[in-house]
Amino acid sequence: MIKAGIIGCGNVGLLWDKPKDMNFNTHAKSYSRHPKVTLKAGCDIKFNRARALQGMYRGVMPYRDYKTMLAREDLDVVSVCTDTESHYKVLKHIIRETGIKYILAEKPLASDFEKAREINLLARENNVHVSVNYLRRWDKTVARVKEAVHRESLGRLILGSFVYYGTFKNNGIHFLDLLDFFGEDVRFERLLSKAGKTEDDFAASLLLRTRDGAPVYFHNIDRKYITHLGVDLFYENGRVRLSDWGSAEIFKAKGSSSFPKLK
């Protein structure tokens, strides 16, 4: 059996799921329900959360300090679900001071590019596999859409539109990774509007462009009005639309008998 531990028992680590409901929104429930995984331990500086993990999933050892947990527990994989600012020090410790070879980190990997690059280099040097939880890469619907875009020969991307709520590093960054997953290389062009800023993140609407010059818009919505994540991709010969809850629509351009010059 694969022995797993969780560092950080907040929303994505533990609190967004109940053991018996149908959804899988947390690391704790995903580990506990996998037939080849045993969830062994969890820690949180708010110790009541680690105790809550123990109460919800039988046999889990609770800890307050991640270094103590990693020293005492024989783990194969660890999820890092702490706040973004702490990712760097936690990941460095796991890579340098333990024998754990598999880490699943919440996004973003680190608070800035240089720290993320250092973690990447350290992981390579120590033969440690670090995956970032860009969950849409493992979503079967998204994978089928990606295959269909190429199979149906939809052509070149000519316009992209993404809607996200909250902050960019926390939510918008999922869509940057989705573009990369779909094979699109984009570059930042300009800031369209600022919606807010936190200590280590920001909310904003942005314009990016693909290497071919196609505009890609990131629209920010204030989460006090609506929590929505949406994707609309227009290609030369079709359109792809992905909703917040994993549904997808693919439209292929077709000639019109009434307007033969239009697709």
Side-chain angles (χ1 to χ4, degrees):
M1 294 288 284
I2 298 169
K3 293 165 288 187
I6 298 173
I7 301 174
C9 299
N11 289 336
V12 74
L14 172 68
L15 301 177
W16 276 340
D17 273 329
K18 294 180 180 179
K20 294 183 179 180
D21 64 23
M22 296 297 293
N23 301 315
F24 284 82
N25 297 311
T26 63
H27 293 247
K29 186 173 181 181
S30 299
Y31 283 139
S32 68
R33 295 287 289 272
H34 197 289
K36 295 183 179 180
V37 177
T38 298
L39 180 56
K40 297 286 289 183
C43 74
D44 200 291
I45 56 175
K46 296 180 179 178
F47 190 56
N48 62 313
R49 290 182 175 179
R51 292 297 299 271
L53 175 68
Q54 182 188 42
M56 291 170 68
Y57 299 100
R58 189 176 300 174
V60 178
M61 286 297 297
Y63 292 87
R64 190 187 305 272
D65 179 68
Y66 71 92
K67 293 181 180 179
T68 303
M69 183 186 82
L70 295 173
R72 291 182 181 176
E73 300 289 339
D74 178 24
L75 302 174
D76 300 304
V77 59
V78 174
S79 283
V80 177
C81 307
T82 58
D83 62 278
T84 299
E85 193 62 35
S86 67
H87 284 188
Y88 176 70
K89 67 177 182 180
V90 174
L91 289 166
K92 277 182 67 174
H93 180 82
I94 299 171
I95 295 169
R96 285 178 166 176
E97 307 298 333
T98 78
I100 295 168
K101 295 299 182 183
Y102 298 94
I103 302 170
L104 179 58
E106 272 302 317
K107 43 53 180 171
L109 184 63
S111 57
D112 61 59
F113 175 75
E114 290 302 324
K115 289 178 179 177
R117 183 166 64 175
E118 183 181 344
I119 292 300
N120 184 47
L121 291 173
L122 278 174
R124 290 186 180 187
E125 291 170 1
N126 290 275
N127 194 30
V128 174
H129 303 274
V130 180
S131 293
V132 182
N133 190 27
Y134 292 120
L135 53 89
R136 287 165 182 79
R137 284 182 177 258
W138 291 277
D139 187 292
K140 293 181 180 179
T141 299
V142 174
R144 286 195 293 267
V145 169
K146 177 185 175 182
E147 292 173 6
V149 167
H150 296 286
R151 183 178 65 249
E152 298 294 333
S153 301
L154 296 186
R156 180 176 61 90
L157 182 70
I158 57 173
L159 173 66
S161 177
F162 297 86
V163 177
Y164 76 98
Y165 67 90
T167 52
F168 188 81
K169 291 180 183 178
N170 189 48
N171 275 334
I173 200 168
H174 273 294
F175 292 148
L176 274 184
D177 184 73
L178 185 68
L179 283 166
D180 181 67
F181 184 57
F182 273 48
E184 299 293 342
D185 186 8
V186 295
R187 295 290 184 270
F188 172 79
E189 181 166 300
R190 72 174 184 269
L191 180 71
L192 298 177
S193 64
K194 280 186 177 181
K197 188 176 182 180
T198 64
E199 185 176 345
D200 62 354
D201 207 342
F202 66 95
S205 294
L206 313 167
L207 171 61
L208 299 88
R209 286 195 186 274
T210 67
R211 283 190 178 274
D212 293 330
V216 178
Y217 294 92
F218 278 67
H219 305 287
N220 177 263
I221 289 182
D222 193 323
R223 66 187 306 162
K224 72 181 179 183
Y225 299 118
I226 186 171
T227 54
H228 174 74
L229 299 172
V231 178
D232 218 348
L233 301 175
F234 294 84
Y235 293 87
E236 292 173 311
N237 301 308
R239 177 185 181 187
V240 169
R241 189 163 61 193
L242 297 172
S243 80
D244 211 354
W245 302 108
S247 64
E249 297 173 287
I250 301 175
F251 306 89
K252 194 166 184 183
K254 185 178 179 181
S256 168
S257 57
S258 300
F259 302 94
K261 292 184 179 180
L262 298 178
K263 284 186 177 181

